[in-house]
Amino acid sequence: MDPITAYGLAAAIVTFVDIGTKVAKRVKELSDTGDIPGVFRDIKTRLPLIIDIIAQTQYETDKLSLEAQEALKEVVSQSLRQVGQLDEILKKVTVSKGESLLRKTVKAGASLVEEGRVQKIAAALKDNVQLLTLFNVKTPEKDKPALKRWASEALPSYSDVTGVFLLPFTRDEQFVGRESQLQSISSSFETQSRVAVSGIGGVGKSQIAIEYSYRFRESDPSAHVLWVYGGNIARFYQGYKRIAQSLEIPGWDDPEASILELVCSWLSTTTSPYLLVVDNADRIEHWWPGKYKSGGSLDDPSKNLAKYLPDGENNINLLITTRDNRVASRLTKAAKPIVLQPMSREEAHSLFLSKLGEELSKSDRKEVYRLLEELDHLPLAVSQAAAFIQENGVSITEYMSALHGEEAEEFLDEELDDARRDEESVNSAFRTWKVSYDQIRQQKPRAAELLSLLAMLDRQSIPKFVLKVPEITTSLAVLQAFNLVTSRAGQQSFQIHRLVQRFVQLALQRESAMQKWQETALACVSRDYPTEIGVAEWPICDALAPHVHVLTGYKYETTEARLDLAHLLCWAADFDIERGMYIQALQRAEQSLQIFRQLVPEKDERLAAATWLSGRLRYYQARSTIEMNAAAEILRKALSISEYPSLNFAESAFELAHLFYDLCKGAECLEMGKASFECWEALEGARSVRTLDNMHDYALELALLGHEDEGIAKWEEIIERCPASDASENTKTVYTYRSRAGIVEFQGDAAMAEILYAKLIILCEEMYNPKHIHVFDYRLSHAEQIMRQGRLEEAIRLSEAILGSCDNISEWRIRASCLQTIAESHRLAASYDKEERYRMKTFELHKQNLGGNHKETIDAEQALADCYLNNLKPSAAIELYQGVLGWRNGEFGESHPDTVRAVECLGICYAHQGQHAEAETAYLDALNRQNDDNARLLDNLCISLEAQGKWEALESRSRQLYELGGPHQPTAHWSLISALEQQGKTEEALQIRTRSLAVASSNQTGSKGTRSPTMPPVRVDRRFGRMIHPRTWSA
């Protein structure tokens, strides 16, 4: 028989204290002698504490409620069992004096076997200590009586603890019941890191999660308590961003950082204890979109929310609430969820009385259980019924009569059917909401209208600033009184229950009013959405993101609403670009463009803006030359329909300049770069921030494309204009330093460029933050200048530091530039094995992000092939050069310098393998593709001709090379002598040899077979990545 049943609570406490004291004393004695096994060290301190706490409760049990007494019985019973197990284990593993060596060895082995069991018991004792705090009893201080805290007292302050408490809800001081479910959550966390609570909507899952969060905080004030909404992707992202900001995770404030990966990584690896609640993880398609056809996805449809939940072994407590048992089972890795049923009869009764806040009449006391039965004991329905009765002063009998009225039969469609419950259990909740809804419409029509508006938005975190409707304050007060709407963040945002939202939507649908309120909600959000987005506008866009997600899913009929939708889609797509969510941005941009094409004239600026946005996004996602050319056509279209001067013209020209640079179309790049900055100049003046910013871009384009003097002149002009510009003083300083850095860099003064970039780093770290993309950009430029001065180890060290600190930056080009700088430094140091590793990483990164047919990927592939060739791996290089040559033939043409270089390198590979016939063919092909003779290429050809013994051809090519002069003339001289001698033309050979003796040097050699082909020069482009979005003025 269970000891608790046999002796009662008080007797069980005495029994536990007696047995526990003996075990604790034995543990202490063994500890003092040094014979205690290591597994008992935690027990030594924890067991006396729990004995002391339980001993204090024996005099307070009569003051506890029946529910509390039952729960306390369970705790004492568990503790008694745990102490008994400890006593048994202690006898097994304790070594007594005089025991044989064999016996001691056996007990030592037993100690190892029992270690895991003892650790579980120690953890369970710790949990029991925490549970005892729920009974408002704490360990008394020395010579002082025990202190008690009852439910009516204020909650403890958390201002002096270190853990972050990120719970968006205040504690429900009237929370009742659910003790067994709360205990089940604690018990489950003993054996698993993920626990799910599932059940039908309105059953109280979130309320239990909130109460558990507060209890978790009380048990360990140093632990973090975090809360995320898991009902849709936008809100999930928003919650993770709030966590990153509150915990100050490195990189949280960088607009280019991947917030989801950043937070997941931190939560998976931190040693700090925490509880993470993912609330309302109901939509299975958001967690596994590939399998369940998500209606909305992350940036990449192949991704899913499930991969962003923390995983690991240490300190992770992940609590999930969901209506879908499939989600519960899979997110907890097949662990059985805690299925939450409606409240018990007594729990629902206690909840109703606590919410009603007044004494019931004698007649109502008889009816209350009938009402609760009608409400099916659903906590949400019970709370709303109590609120309605209290607000309107009606009796329970009157309320039940209204509940059974003709209009109270409204119920949900099949979406909310649940195989575990009958239809009536769902209908009862909606009868409650129908009564409340009708009463609000009678008493406060404006409040009913506001509820209709709220039902069209995302149901949580509805910002008050978008609710610009009449009588907003009093209407919100009425809705909150009926528990249909709850406030958050100090009355600055609101939420509506999911089932209430669905009920209102069904009611509006029945009244043919859905379209009206969808259009009203759309107008509210589109009116407040920022039209130009910089860092200052991020919080507004972030707050509106979930509502944009909902509103853009509706279908609109009127022209006015469709235009509002098109505008909102454009602005939201611009915000998606800022967050790096290009796929979603392109979908929205295309939808916006389609609407504008249907509704506005061809020369309308709105159509120009949507066209520019579509072309911009297609350019960002282009993975081949074909796709880049398609993007260019769209941007040209935007340019043609834009007014001049206008923002749309300037931005379209700006994007085209970038695109043409990527396509190696230098003339078109310069044309568009100039058009962009001149448009801003005409639009805003010669000294505006955006004029100067685009002028810098144009200067950089000029310098990169071989017009260094013109680029330097533009930078000097920027420096002259800066003092009178409308920019802030810090921005003026940035522009001045940036322009001076450009000047000295292209003048070849890497030392001065290094100093200026160092100043830019310091300044931009103060203006933005150390993780801002502009800071990374200037750090890379700084490392490049150090590399150009030959301080290769230092350049490598700086680049590796940048690489290590930008892991969470979504701008992959920063990482690619780091890898390129490191690889180039190793090449200059002739460390080809190390260079090879970084060239391979660079190539794979480009291939992953741009595809195999993009110019930058081909450039990275060629750099890797060069490395293979320098590292004497010609066979590996041949395959890459053939791929590079095929692409360059098709995209650049046969005579393009880059194409000719690939052909020549292919010939060098063949020569290194002794395939001189193939090398000769490649060299001749390269020569035929050029208009002018190339001395280096002719010299390489001569080497292969000599190796094949083709003396007549060697004679001809040597004479040709000799006539060109330059550094290859001496080798041509000796090749010609060899060719003549081998053909028997000894007299001419002797004459040439005699003539050359006067100028011959000791290091000249024409010996057969001693020379190797000369590699063509490596083209090391300066990074064009300095023109990174968003630019300085928008940041």
Side-chain angles (χ1 to χ4, degrees):
M1 179 180 294
D2 186 86
I4 302 299
T5 305
Y7 305 115
L9 179 57
I13 291 175
V14 172
T15 303
F16 167 76
V17 171
D18 182 51
I19 298 174
T21 301
K22 292 177 181 178
V23 173
K25 182 178 179 182
R26 189 174 178 190
V27 170
K28 184 177 183 305
E29 289 173 351
L30 292 171
S31 177
D32 293 341
T33 62
D35 292 332
I36 187 172
V39 294
F40 277 85
R41 287 171 187 163
D42 286 342
I43 304 296
K44 177 187 173 183
T45 55
R46 194 161 290 150
L47 184 56
L49 177 61
I50 194 170
I51 292 171
D52 194 26
I53 295 174
I54 291 180
Q56 294 298 324
T57 65
Q58 60 183 317
Y59 305 110
E60 307 290 343
T61 54
D62 58 329
K63 298 179 182 180
L64 299 176
S65 65
L66 291 176
E67 292 88 349
Q69 290 185 37
E70 289 298 322
L72 181 57
K73 284 181 184 179
E74 179 62 25
V75 174
V76 175
S77 177
Q78 289 182 7
S79 300
L80 190 54
R81 287 195 297 270
Q82 290 153 4
V83 168
Q85 293 170 4
L86 284 172
D87 188 36
E88 177 188 343
I89 296 171
L90 199 59
K91 292 175 182 177
K92 256 191 220 182
V93 302
T94 304
V95 178
S96 302
K97 291 182 179 180
E99 288 188 327
S100 66
L101 179 60
L102 176 61
R103 187 64 178 165
K104 289 180 180 179
T105 304
V106 170
K107 288 196 173 184
S111 176
L112 293 174
V113 172
E114 296 291 349
E115 182 172 356
R117 186 179 170 197
V118 174
Q119 287 175 346
K120 288 183 179 179
I121 294 173
L125 285 174
K126 178 182 178 182
D127 288 341
N128 287 342
V129 172
Q130 296 167 356
L131 283 170
L132 287 168
T133 63
L134 304 180
F135 305 110
N136 307 303
V137 179
K138 60 185 289 185
T139 305
E141 298 179 17
K142 188 174 182 180
D143 300 325
K144 290 185 180 181
L147 298 177
K148 301 178 286 296
R149 180 177 65 79
W150 305 105
S152 60
E153 295 182 8
L155 292 170
S157 171
Y158 297 129
S159 61
D160 58 343
V161 297
T162 58
V164 170
F165 191 61
L166 203 58
L167 195 64
F169 311 98
T170 58
R171 191 173 193 174
D172 185 1
E173 294 293 335
Q174 298 174 330
F175 184 88
V176 296
R178 303 298 200 182
E179 291 298 332
S180 62
Q181 289 83 2
L182 289 165
Q183 176 60 32
S184 294
I185 295 174
S186 295
S187 300
S188 297
F189 274 133
E190 292 178 8
T191 58
Q192 60 198 67
S193 60
R194 295 184 177 188
V195 176
V197 177
S198 65
I200 191 172
V203 79
K205 302 180 295 297
S206 297
Q207 298 305 312
I208 284 182
I210 293 169
E211 177 64 18
Y212 183 82
S213 297
Y214 277 94
R215 295 189 183 190
F216 184 91
R217 177 65 167 213
E218 288 175 342
S219 69
D220 187 358
S222 66
H224 303 305
V225 178
L226 313 171
W227 188 281
V228 174
Y229 178 75
N232 69 48
I233 293 166
R235 288 292 314 286
F236 185 88
Y237 175 90
Q238 190 179 34
Y240 262 45
K241 184 171 183 181
R242 191 178 298 114
I243 290 173
Q245 180 178 4
S246 300
L247 292 173
E248 296 184 346
I249 298 174
W252 71 267
D253 53 354
D254 185 356
E256 299 297 325
S258 172
I259 292 297
L260 297 180
E261 294 178 359
L262 191 72
V263 174
C264 179
S265 175
W266 189 92
L267 292 175
S268 298
T269 58
T270 182
T271 57
S272 302
Y274 68 86
L275 169 68
L276 171 63
V277 180
V278 179
D279 190 35
N280 291 306
D282 298 326
R283 300 186 63 175
I284 196 168
E285 66 271 23
H286 286 167
W287 299 94
W288 299 278
K291 185 173 182 180
Y292 293 98
K293 297 182 180 179
S294 173
S297 67
L298 297 177
D299 187 32
D300 185 346
S302 66
K303 297 181 180 178
N304 56 65
L305 289 182
K307 69 180 290 186
Y308 295 110
L309 293 181
D311 209 351
E313 298 296 331
N314 299 323
N315 302 312
I316 295 179
N317 294 280
L318 174 58
L319 180 60
I320 301 157
T321 71
T322 178
R323 289 189 300 171
D324 194 333
N325 280 329
R326 296 174 300 171
V327 175
S329 177
R330 294 177 187 184
L331 288 184
T332 56
K333 301 179 180 179
K336 186 176 180 180
I338 298 171
V339 181
L340 198 60
Q341 301 295 344
M343 283 182 155
S344 68
R345 190 168 181 261
E346 292 303 322
E347 284 178 332
H349 184 260
S350 298
L351 175 63
F352 182 85
L353 294 181
S354 69
K355 297 296 183 184
L356 194 63
E358 61 187 34
E359 290 291 327
L360 291 173
S361 66
K362 188 175 290 186
S363 60
D364 278 344
R365 288 176 198 164
K366 297 177 181 178
E367 295 293 326
V368 66
Y369 285 110
R370 284 184 55 203
L371 172 62
L372 297 175
E373 196 69 24
E374 281 291 318
L375 299 177
D376 202 25
H377 303 149
L378 281 172
L380 180 57
V382 171
S383 298
Q384 287 178 318
F388 182 91
I389 291 169
Q390 182 189 45
E391 177 73 18
N392 295 278
V394 299
S395 67
I396 292 178
T397 303
E398 290 171 336
Y399 185 86
M400 288 184 64
S401 297
L403 195 64
H404 288 284
E406 291 181 0
E407 296 298 323
E409 296 299 327
E410 190 80 30
F411 56 86
L412 283 180
D413 58 8
E414 61 180 347
E415 175 184 335
L416 289 180
D417 286 346
D418 192 293
R420 298 176 297 100
R421 301 183 52 76
D422 58 36
E423 230 175 40
E424 181 63 22
S425 66
V426 175
N427 298 344
S428 59
F430 280 86
R431 292 174 192 166
T432 302
W433 295 321
K434 181 66 170 62
V435 172
S436 298
Y437 185 60
D438 287 344
Q439 186 66 25
I440 291 171
R441 296 178 92 174
Q442 292 175 9
Q443 293 183 358
K444 187 75 174 177
R446 293 291 191 190
E449 292 174 1
L450 177 59
L451 185 61
S452 299
L453 174 61
L454 296 174
M456 299 301 106
L457 299 167
D458 183 84
R459 70 180 193 88
Q460 290 197 347
S461 294
I462 303 172
K464 189 176 182 179
F465 66 79
V466 301
L467 304 176
K468 293 182 174 65
V469 295
E471 304 175 26
I472 178 66
T473 302
T474 54
S475 295
L476 283 170
V478 170
L479 296 179
Q480 290 180 81
F482 281 94
N483 284 335
L484 294 174
V485 169
T486 55
S487 65
R488 305 178 70 178
Q491 299 285 329
Q492 294 307 304
S493 68
F494 300 87
Q495 67 178 33
I496 178 173
H497 293 287
R498 178 187 291 104
L499 298 183
V500 174
Q501 180 189 48
R502 182 62 179 145
F503 165 76
V504 175
Q505 291 174 346
L506 287 172
L508 294 174
Q509 189 173 357
R510 187 179 63 248
E511 297 166 2
S512 301
M514 277 282 283
Q515 186 68 33
K516 168 190 172 183
W517 288 108
Q518 287 173 350
E519 293 182 1
T520 302
L522 175 65
C524 287
V525 173
S526 62
R527 177 189 57 217
D528 287 297
Y529 206 95
T531 56
E532 287 194 25
I533 300 170
V535 173
E537 287 73 35
W538 266 62
I540 298 174
C541 297
D542 214 25
L544 294 177
H547 310 292
V548 172
H549 177 77
V550 171
L551 291 171
T552 54
Y554 296 142
K555 292 184 179 180
Y556 301 94
E557 297 176 357
T558 66
T559 299
E560 182 180 1
R562 294 181 67 198
L563 288 173
D564 281 344
L565 175 62
H567 283 115
L568 184 59
L569 286 164
C570 264
W571 300 327
D574 210 16
F575 182 51
D576 289 335
I577 294 172
E578 297 282 320
R579 296 185 292 175
M581 301 176 68
Y582 297 126
I583 292 177
Q584 180 171 280
L586 179 58
Q587 292 171 347
R588 287 173 168 173
E590 293 291 339
Q591 187 180 351
S592 173
L593 180 59
Q594 183 179 4
I595 295 171
F596 280 130
R597 281 173 175 167
Q598 294 172 354
L599 299 180
V600 303
E602 184 176 352
K603 287 290 185 178
D604 194 288
E605 283 298 300
R606 292 170 292 183
L607 179 59
T611 305
W612 157 67
L613 185 61
S614 174
R616 177 189 183 190
L617 285 162
R618 287 189 177 276
Y619 166 40
Y620 289 176
Q621 293 180 245
R623 296 173 66 86
S624 67
T625 303
I626 294 175
E627 292 179 357
M628 292 179 71
N629 285 327
E633 286 302 313
I634 297 173
L635 288 169
R636 284 195 185 98
K637 178 67 175 177
L639 204 66
S640 68
I641 63 178
S642 298
E643 294 181 1
Y644 185 89
S646 67
L647 181 148
N648 294 325
F649 186 96
E651 294 289 25
S652 298
F654 174 84
E655 298 296 346
L656 278 169
H658 277 259
L659 193 153
F660 286 138
Y661 180 87
D662 285 346
L663 290 173
C664 296
K665 296 181 178 180
E668 291 90 337
C669 170
L670 295 178
E671 179 187 358
M672 290 296 100
K674 183 179 181 182
S676 177
F677 106 79
E678 288 181 343
C679 181
W680 282 118
E681 191 172 39
L683 192 63
E684 296 187 349
R687 290 176 168 81
S688 80
V689 174
R690 293 192 277 201
T691 299
L692 296 179
D693 217 32
N694 282 264
M695 192 173 179
H696 168 77
D697 292 335
Y698 179 52
L700 184 58
E701 291 158 7
L702 285 166
L704 287 168
L705 293 170
H707 305 277
E708 289 89 349
D709 292 342
E710 294 177 58
I712 288 171
K714 289 297 178 187
W715 276 317
E716 290 173 342
E717 191 175 347
I718 291 172
I719 294 172
E720 182 182 341
R721 293 186 185 187
C722 264
S725 81
D726 59 358
S728 66
E729 290 303 316
N730 280 339
T731 302
K732 290 177 185 178
T733 306
V734 168
Y735 284 3
T736 300
Y737 283 164
R738 187 176 65 179
S739 298
R740 287 176 178 167
I743 291 171
V744 297
E745 180 178 349
F746 282 92
Q747 286 177 339
D749 190 350
M752 180 55 69
E754 175 194 348
I755 295 171
L756 291 168
Y757 282 124
K759 290 180 178 293
L760 282 166
I761 293 168
I762 296 171
L763 184 58
C764 288
E765 282 182 341
E766 294 175 355
M767 288 178 63
Y768 309 114
N769 61 76
K771 296 288 187 179
H772 195 278
I773 194 166
H774 289 308
V775 176
F776 280 118
D777 195 35
Y778 292 133
R779 287 176 66 186
L780 274 166
S781 298
H782 179 248
E784 284 180 5
Q785 304 316 308
I786 291 173
M787 179 188 71
R788 294 181 194 283
Q789 296 175 69
R791 288 146 53 196
L792 303 179
E793 290 298 327
E794 184 180 353
I796 291 170
R797 187 173 65 255
L798 290 173
S799 299
E800 287 177 339
I802 300 169
L803 195 63
S805 58
C806 72
D807 285 342
N808 295 311
I809 303 300
S810 61
E811 179 52 68
W812 66 271
R813 292 178 189 272
I814 292 291
R815 296 193 295 278
S817 294
C818 286
L819 294 170
Q820 287 171 337
T821 302
I822 296 171
E824 182 62 17
S825 297
H826 284 307
R827 184 190 71 82
L828 294 172
S831 301
Y832 298 124
D833 286 335
K834 293 179 180 178
E835 179 196 1
E836 184 180 320
R837 291 201 301 272
Y838 287 97
R839 294 293 186 196
M840 178 61 75
K841 290 180 180 179
T842 306
F843 175 52
E844 292 297 334
L845 189 59
H846 279 85
K847 194 172 182 179
Q848 174 186 342
N849 288 277
L850 297 176
N853 291 319
H854 195 280
K855 173 191 173 293
E856 291 183 38
T857 306
I858 299 300
D859 288 343
E861 186 176 12
Q862 178 169 291
L864 177 60
D866 287 350
C867 178
Y868 282 144
L869 189 50
N870 287 328
N871 208 17
L872 302 180
K873 297 180 179 180
S875 59
I878 286 175
E879 183 178 353
L880 295 180
Y881 280 129
Q882 287 174 337
V884 170
L885 180 58
W887 189 90
R888 296 202 190 285
N889 271 328
E891 300 298 335
F892 289 174
E894 294 186 350
S895 60
H896 191 279
D898 288 348
T899 309
V900 175
R901 185 186 187 280
V903 176
E904 182 181 1
C905 288
L906 198 58
I908 294 173
C909 290
Y910 290 133
H912 275 291
Q913 290 186 315
Q915 298 173 272
H916 289 286
E918 290 82 353
E920 177 190 355
T921 301
Y923 294 145
L924 290 172
D925 184 14
L927 284 169
N928 291 333
R929 292 169 183 256
Q930 300 179 100
N931 295 324
D932 300 321
D933 290 333
N934 183 309
R936 183 200 62 257
L937 185 53
L938 281 170
D939 187 43
N940 288 339
L941 175 60
C942 287
I943 293 172
S944 288
L945 291 172
E946 187 172 0
Q948 296 176 81
K950 293 187 174 182
W951 309 115
E952 185 176 350
L954 177 61
E955 177 187 349
S956 174
R957 293 298 182 179
S958 296
R959 292 184 190 278
Q960 184 181 356
L961 179 60
Y962 186 83
E963 292 297 324
L964 291 176
H968 293 282
Q969 192 174 50
T971 58
H973 183 89
W974 293 108
S975 293
L976 177 58
I977 291 172
S978 296
L980 292 171
E981 290 177 343
Q982 292 296 328
Q983 295 178 79
K985 301 178 181 180
T986 55
E987 184 175 346
E988 183 181 358
L990 181 60
Q991 291 174 356
I992 296 174
R993 185 186 293 273
T994 302
R995 266 198 323 268
S996 65
L997 287 176
V999 295
S1001 62
S1002 60
N1003 61 344
Q1004 290 176 345
T1005 176
S1007 303
K1008 181 178 179 180
T1010 60
R1011 293 194 299 122
S1012 296
T1014 304
M1015 280 284 290
V1018 176
R1019 182 168 58 86
V1020 183
D1021 287 337
R1022 290 176 171 88
R1023 290 180 306 108
F1024 201 36
R1026 297 190 182 95
M1027 299 160 64
I1028 293 173
H1029 298 276
R1031 285 155 299 158
T1032 305
W1033 58 264
S1034 65

